[in-house]
Amino acid sequence: MKTSSQPAAVLMLIVCVFSWGSVFPIAKEVLQEMSGLSLVLWRFAIAVTCLALLVAVSRPARASLALWQHLVLALVGAVGIGGFNLGLFVGLAQSSASNGSLIMALSPLITALMASLLARRPLGGWQWLGLALGLIGVGLVLSQGDPARLWRLGIGRGDLILFGAMLAWSGYTLCSQRLGHWLPPLPFTLYTMAAGGLAMVLFGLGQPDLHPWQELWALDAVGRLKVLYIGLFATVLGYLFWVGGVRALGAMRASLFINFVPVFAALVAWGLGQPLGAAQLAGMAVVLAGLLLPRLAERRRGTVG
């Protein structure tokens, strides 16, 4: 992708991670009235329906894929999207929003390590610095300046499930870059999301206590609007922008934006009336530095070269 399109990719990723950051407090409230699997199924139902309509209207160029490519994309969607969402909402129901956003903040590091191993190329010093600053900034945001607070968050079963979800997401991010040329962004997102949704439907068939319709109608109007928000803004728009950003900037660069998830979660909480301390503001600045410094170093090397 041309350099002139990179600002647009950055904007897409910022909008994407803002939508995901806002999901943590919103989903946490919904999960008090609805099971994690039911929320996942409704998220996929809304998203796949909207994406299918977009594909029908836009009519993107068709790509001829071999059977093995179809199988690979189905597996990527089932694990990377289906597994991630199931792990996220099931884990979040058993853990806290703070723990969830902290665990997801490990995604840039894991994605960078995966990409480095596959490329057989070690990470550079500026990349390590960017990752370290991102983690430090996230820690400041979540701990509110009290490092002991991170320890008090504790590690439970829900946190382990969230960690597995984070691994699935890191794998999906890497696959979006390496396999994304097989299909345009819109069909690629629809294909993998439909595969993830189908996997969750098959998983749900074995759950006798699953009642997605009854749980949805038991919600009040505000609760249903929150489910719609998760399906439209945080899924359709979020995933489309994420795939586009990964293609433009690469998996390692794009994954750094995940560090903004807890930052935006804190800003949304502040907008809802919760206080925002100086330590959290400092953490946001460190996260931003961790995102910008490696890029500035690359440009400087390019200029010198």
Side-chain angles (χ1 to χ4, degrees), residues 35-45 48 74-91 161 165 168 191-212 235 239:
S35 69
L37 183 54
S38 290
L39 182 54
V40 170
L41 292 176
W42 280 115
R43 183 181 195 181
F44 280 125
V48 171
L75 180 62
V76 169
V79 176
I81 293 184
F84 164 70
N85 279 273
L86 180 63
L88 174 64
F89 290 127
V90 172
I161 296 174
Y191 197 119
T192 53
M193 192 166 291
L198 178 60
M200 292 302 97
V201 169
L202 295 176
F203 179 82
L205 292 177
Q207 309 298 318
D209 56 344
L210 180 66
H211 306 289
T235 309
Y239 275 82

Side-chain angles (χ1 to χ4, degrees), residues 99 102 139-140 142-155:
N99 277 30
L102 178 61
L140 283 172
L142 296 178
S143 68
Q144 301 176 12
D146 179 14
R149 187 171 184 270
L150 295 178
W151 180 261
R152 290 196 297 269
L153 289 175
I155 298 176

Side-chain angles (χ1 to χ4, degrees), residues 214-266:
Q214 293 89 329
E215 291 180 37
L216 179 68
W217 293 118
L219 297 175
D220 58 18
V222 175
R224 293 172 195 164
L225 285 176
K226 290 176 181 178
V227 173
L228 187 62
Y229 173 89
I230 293 171
L232 288 178
F233 187 55
T235 309
V236 176
L237 188 66
Y239 275 82
L240 282 175
F241 279 12
W242 181 256
V243 171
V246 168
R247 292 187 183 199
L249 302 182
M252 284 194 291
R253 289 180 185 171
S255 65
L256 291 173
F257 285 80
I258 291 292
N259 285 325
F260 279 101
V261 168
V263 171
F264 284 129

Side-chain angles (χ1 to χ4, degrees), residues 17-290:
V17 296
F18 172 80
S19 72
W20 291 345
S22 65
V23 159
F24 279 91
I26 292 174
K28 186 65 179 178
E29 293 179 356
V30 175
L31 289 170
Q32 295 176 2
E33 307 293 335
M34 175 181 282
S35 69
L37 183 54
S38 290
L39 182 54
V40 170
L41 292 176
W42 280 115
R43 183 181 195 181
F44 280 125
I46 295 169
V48 171
T49 300
C50 292
L51 287 170
L53 290 174
L54 287 174
V55 169
V57 171
S58 62
R59 296 183 179 181
R62 293 186 178 182
S64 179
L65 300 180
L67 176 60
W68 69 270
Q69 290 175 303
H70 284 286
L71 294 175
V72 169
L73 288 178
L75 180 62
V76 169
V79 176
I81 293 184
F84 164 70
N85 279 273
L86 180 63
L88 174 64
F89 290 127
V90 172
L92 193 58
Q94 303 177 38
S95 183
S96 66
S98 297
N99 277 30
S101 57
L102 178 61
I103 292 169
M104 287 306 300
L106 296 174
S107 180
L109 176 60
I110 299 300
T111 303
L113 292 176
M114 286 181 176
S116 177
L117 289 173
L118 288 175
R120 297 182 180 179
R121 183 175 63 246
L123 297 177
W126 283 105
Q127 290 174 309
W128 281 114
L129 177 61
L131 292 169
L133 287 175
L135 289 175
I136 292 171
V138 168
L140 283 172
V141 171
L142 296 178
S143 68
Q144 301 176 12
D146 179 14
R149 187 171 184 270
L150 295 178
W151 180 261
R152 290 196 297 269
L153 289 175
I155 298 176
R157 182 171 179 270
D159 301 313
L160 296 178
I161 296 174
L162 287 167
F163 186 80
M166 181 273 296
L167 292 178
W169 178 251
S170 297
Y172 178 78
T173 298
L174 200 56
C175 289
S176 296
Q177 179 189 9
R178 298 177 70 90
L179 309 179
H181 63 279
W182 289 359
L183 290 171
L186 185 55
F188 181 90
T189 306
L190 173 60
Y191 197 119
T192 53
M193 192 166 291
L198 178 60
M200 292 302 97
V201 169
L202 295 176
F203 179 82
L205 292 177
Q207 309 298 318
D209 56 344
L210 180 66
H211 306 289
W213 279 104
Q214 293 89 329
E215 291 180 37
L216 179 68
W217 293 118
L219 297 175
D220 58 18
V222 175
R224 293 172 195 164
L225 285 176
K226 290 176 181 178
V227 173
L228 187 62
Y229 173 89
I230 293 171
L232 288 178
F233 187 55
T235 309
V236 176
L237 188 66
Y239 275 82
L240 282 175
F241 279 12
W242 181 256
V243 171
V246 168
R247 292 187 183 199
L249 302 182
M252 284 194 291
R253 289 180 185 171
S255 65
L256 291 173
F257 285 80
I258 291 292
N259 285 325
F260 279 101
V261 168
V263 171
F264 284 129
L267 288 175
V268 170
W270 174 73
L272 295 175
Q274 297 183 22
L276 188 63
Q280 291 172 298
L281 291 173
M284 295 177 190
V286 174
V287 168
L288 184 61

